[in-house]
Amino acid sequence: MRSEASVTWVPVKDLGDVRMGKQLSPASRTGAGQWPYLRVANVYEGRIDYSDVNSMAFSAAERETYGLLPGDILLNEGQENLMMVGRSALYDGAPGAFCFQNTLIRFRPGPAVVPEFAQAVFVWWRANAVFAGIAEKTSISHLGGSRFGALLFPLISVAAQRRIVDVIDGFAELERGIEASIAKLRSVRQGTLLDFMSRIQPEWTPVRDLGEVRMGKQLSPDGRAALEQFPYLRVANVKAGWIDYSDVNTMGFTKSERSVYGLVPGDILLNEGQSLELVGRSAIYREAPGKFFFQNTLVRFRPERRVIPEYAQIIFEYWLQVGVFAGIAKKTTSIAHLGGERFAGLGFPLVSLPEQRSLVTAISACDANIEGEVRELNKLRQLKLGLVDDLLSGRVAVSTATA
């Protein structure tokens, strides 16, 4: 299979330590020995965000068990998005500075595995639905420590692993350059918005006075069983600034309901029920009138002529970022609810149409540049993924790739 190194398929659990983190409990929230820990929200693919870290009680023995060391790999154990299960990153902090929660799996490679190589394999597994294939599917998909530990890992010589890592590092340097450019553009975008907000003298007007605010139709047994089924959008379809029409459910809508809940271009849909940091996430509907309807997990804002939809969307994105929506949301155990009435009562910064168009033009220019850089980054990552696929499968020899 390989010209310079043969592959042996070995269970992950036999190549290092596989461990679930500590479960958060009421006692651990307030107990003695508070210590910072990492959770799903901290682990992105290829990087760890240390800027928003929670703490809970860990005894000295638990810090020994759950403390992280450089070279440990953390994987998302549970995710709403099935394809994000197993998202992973290398821990690069100080030894023992952080512990980890049971929403993560830790893999601590043994001497036969180079950590960076293992993480490259895990990235490949996630992208190729290996993790999705073994995950337990509920409202949250779970990878499971034992299922992960049983996966067969492509073990090659340490020297071959290091050469593959060198190839990947070359791509990573290019990625970092594009990521830095994207970060700079996003900073310019944020600065443009903040400068606008500091200069305007708006007429603060309740959202309800600037358009129609409506909750969607509640899903019911009758709706599921109706003979005439129509596609509707729900929380899962509304992303950050765009709508995913690829996974749409259906339910029954009467003729009168279709006139009430039918969407038209320029409607803005906001997540009504979500995790606290995502409640109020919004996007503009741009499909044909009446092609889709919407569920009561969403709030629709249909702006009247004094408000440009793109301007309203920019304001709603800003409110999401600065915590306006989180501040008015009703918090339950796991879901925060925006509430149509609470949203409708928010004071909206109404300015003249020329001022609105000016901001929309400036932000759109930033967004176009960001989207261009994101496309280039995605192309580069696809190239890298394809090369890793070839290297792991033996279709390309390591010596050829590093020549």
Side-chain angles (χ1 to χ4, degrees), residues 95 119 126 168 184 229 238 313 319 376:
Q119 207 260 322
R126 188 202 60 75
I168 294 170
K184 184 176 180 180
Q229 297 281 310
V238 177
Q313 170 64 13
W319 283 353
E376 290 303 311

Side-chain angles (χ1 to χ4, degrees), residues 88-383:
S88 62
L90 277 164
Y91 175 72
D92 56 359
F98 296 90
C99 293
F100 66 108
Q101 190 191 6
N102 69 331
T103 56
L104 298 173
I105 298 171
R106 182 187 69 193
F107 176 61
R108 179 170 289 168
V113 180
V114 175
E116 292 80 2
F117 175 74
Q119 207 260 322
V121 171
F122 299 158
V123 170
W124 188 90
W125 279 352
R126 188 202 60 75
N128 286 275
V130 174
F131 290 142
I134 67 167
E136 182 181 73
K137 289 85 172 174
T138 60
S139 56
I140 300 290
S141 297
H142 292 279
L143 179 58
S146 59
R147 290 188 294 273
F148 166 68
L151 285 171
L152 297 178
F153 187 93
L155 185 64
I156 56 178
S157 72
V158 169
Q161 290 179 47
R162 288 188 175 130
R163 287 196 291 273
I164 288 176
V165 169
D166 287 342
V167 173
I168 294 170
D169 283 347
F171 277 89
E173 187 174 349
L174 294 173
E175 283 181 285
R176 285 192 289 271
I178 298 176
E179 287 169 346
S181 176
I182 292 171
K184 184 176 180 180
L185 287 167
R186 285 178 174 157
S187 178
V188 170
R189 185 190 194 276
Q190 184 72 355
T192 300
L193 178 56
L194 292 175
D195 178 65
F196 175 86
M197 296 300 291
S198 69
R199 288 187 292 102
I200 60 173
Q201 294 182 329
E203 178 185 341
W204 293 97
T205 308
V207 170
R208 66 168 61 88
D209 293 346
L210 296 171
E212 180 199 52
V213 176
R214 182 177 292 278
M215 300 283 291
K217 179 180 177 179
Q218 186 169 354
L219 184 61
S220 66
D222 288 345
R224 293 178 189 272
L227 291 177
E228 268 197 295
Q229 297 281 310
F230 298 89
Y232 69 89
L233 302 178
R234 62 199 196 282
V235 162
N237 300 110
V238 177
K239 312 297 183 180
W242 63 283
I243 295 175
D244 178 7
Y245 300 99
S246 66
D247 180 21
V248 176
N249 294 343
T250 63
M251 66 170 151
F253 288 86
T254 65
K255 185 177 180 179
S256 61
E257 286 175 334
R258 292 198 294 276
S259 67
V260 172
Y261 299 113
L263 295 167
V264 300
D267 284 350
I268 302 175
L269 295 172
L270 302 95
N271 287 180
E272 195 283 323
Q274 255 287 12
S275 58
L276 186 60
E277 66 271 15
L278 295 180
V279 71
R281 187 170 64 178
S282 61
I284 300 176
Y285 176 79
R286 300 189 186 279
E287 291 292 304
K291 184 176 180 180
F292 292 94
F293 303 87
F294 69 110
Q295 190 191 8
N296 70 328
T297 57
L298 299 173
V299 178
R300 180 184 70 193
F301 174 60
R302 179 172 289 171
E304 45 103 308
R305 59 183 179 79
R306 287 185 293 167
V307 181
I308 298 170
E310 290 77 10
Y311 174 71
Q313 170 64 13
I314 291 169
I315 297 302
F316 296 159
E317 288 177 354
Y318 175 71
W319 283 353
L320 178 68
Q321 292 169 7
V322 300
V324 172
F325 291 140
I328 67 167
K330 183 179 180 181
K331 291 83 173 175
T332 61
T333 52
S334 59
I335 298 293
H337 290 278
L338 180 61
E341 283 301 309
R342 290 188 295 273
F343 166 67
L346 286 172
F348 186 91
L350 182 63
V351 295
S352 69
L353 289 176
E355 287 178 299
Q356 292 181 42
R357 292 190 189 100
S358 173
L359 178 65
V360 169
T361 298
I363 294 296
S364 295
C366 290
D367 287 343
N369 289 330
I370 291 169
E371 287 168 11
E373 291 292 297
V374 168
R375 283 195 297 272
E376 290 303 311
L377 184 60
N378 288 336
K379 287 179 188 176
L380 182 62
R381 285 174 173 165
Q382 286 301 314
L383 284 171

